[in-house]
Amino acid sequence: EAGDSYESRGSRHFRRRAKALAGRAGWRSRVARARVAQFEARTEKDAFHPMEVAASAAETEAVRARCAASRRPALVWAEGRRYPIRMLDRLPLRWLGRGVAPPNATAFRGEASRGEFFVFQLGVHAPLRPLQLLPSWTGLAMGGRPATRSSSGGGSSGSGSGSS
C-alpha cells in the first residue's frame, strides 16, 4: 500500500502468514522448536535478576505458614541501592535465599563516600493480613556510636510516621 513503511508491510505479511499457519491442524509439529539459551539485559539497571525473580507459590506459602505459626505479622528485608525493590506483588526469591531475620533484628550494612546521600530500602511483607505501617527511626550508628558529627548542624535522629 502506498505510504506504508517496509516494516509495517512486513508486519502485515508476517501476521497474515502466521494466522494462516495457526489455522491448520497439526501446525505445531511443523514449526521448529526453540530453546532459551540465556536472558540478557541491555544494561545492569535493565536486568530483572535477582530482585524480579519471584519465589514460587509453594515457597511463598511456606513463609505464610511460618509467620502464622509464630504469630509474626510482618517480615522486613533491607536492600541497598544496587537491588531496587520493583516487584511489589510477589516475594523476591533473593529474600528467601537470605533467610528471615528474627523479629526486630533486620540489619543493613553499607559504606558511603564522604558527602554522599546513602540510599537503602526496606521491603516489608505482611503475609497474613494488610498492615498499616507507622515507622519511626533513630540516628545512624557505627560501632555503637552516632555515625554523624555533632558539628554538622544537628543530629540525624528523628521520628516520622506514614502509612503504607
Side-chain angles (χ1 to χ4, degrees), residues 137-141 145-150 152-159:
W137 58 89
T138 61
L140 296 174
R145 297 182 14 222
T148 58
R149 294 183 303 194
S150 60
S152 63
S156 62
S157 58
S159 65

Side-chain angles (χ1 to χ4, degrees), residues 13-25 27 30:
H13 178 69
F14 173 79
R15 282 194 301 269
R16 194 170 37 250
R17 288 185 57 208
K19 190 175 182 179
L21 177 63
R24 295 185 208 148
W27 68 269
R30 293 192 301 272

Side-chain angles (χ1 to χ4, degrees), residues 2 22 27 36 45 61 80 87 98-99 114 121 129:
W27 68 269
V36 176
K45 186 174 178 159
E61 176 54 29
M87 186 171 56
R98 287 172 33 199
R114 184 178 199 99
Q121 313 154 89
R129 67 183 189 288

Side-chain angles (χ1 to χ4, degrees), residues 83-95:
Y83 299 109
I85 300 172
R86 297 185 281 202
M87 186 171 56
L88 304 177
D89 59 339
R90 310 249 335 253
L91 278 177
L93 185 59
R94 170 181 163 83
W95 290 354

Side-chain angles (χ1 to χ4, degrees), residues 35-53:
R35 184 179 67 80
V36 176
Q38 65 187 34
F39 289 101
E40 291 184 6
R42 188 174 55 92
T43 67
E44 185 176 327
K45 186 174 178 159
D46 296 326
F48 63 89
H49 187 272
M51 290 302 292
E52 292 183 79
V53 175

Side-chain angles (χ1 to χ4, degrees), residues 95-111:
W95 290 354
L96 299 188
R98 287 172 33 199
V100 175
N104 300 317
T106 298
F108 180 76
R109 292 185 188 355
E111 293 185 20

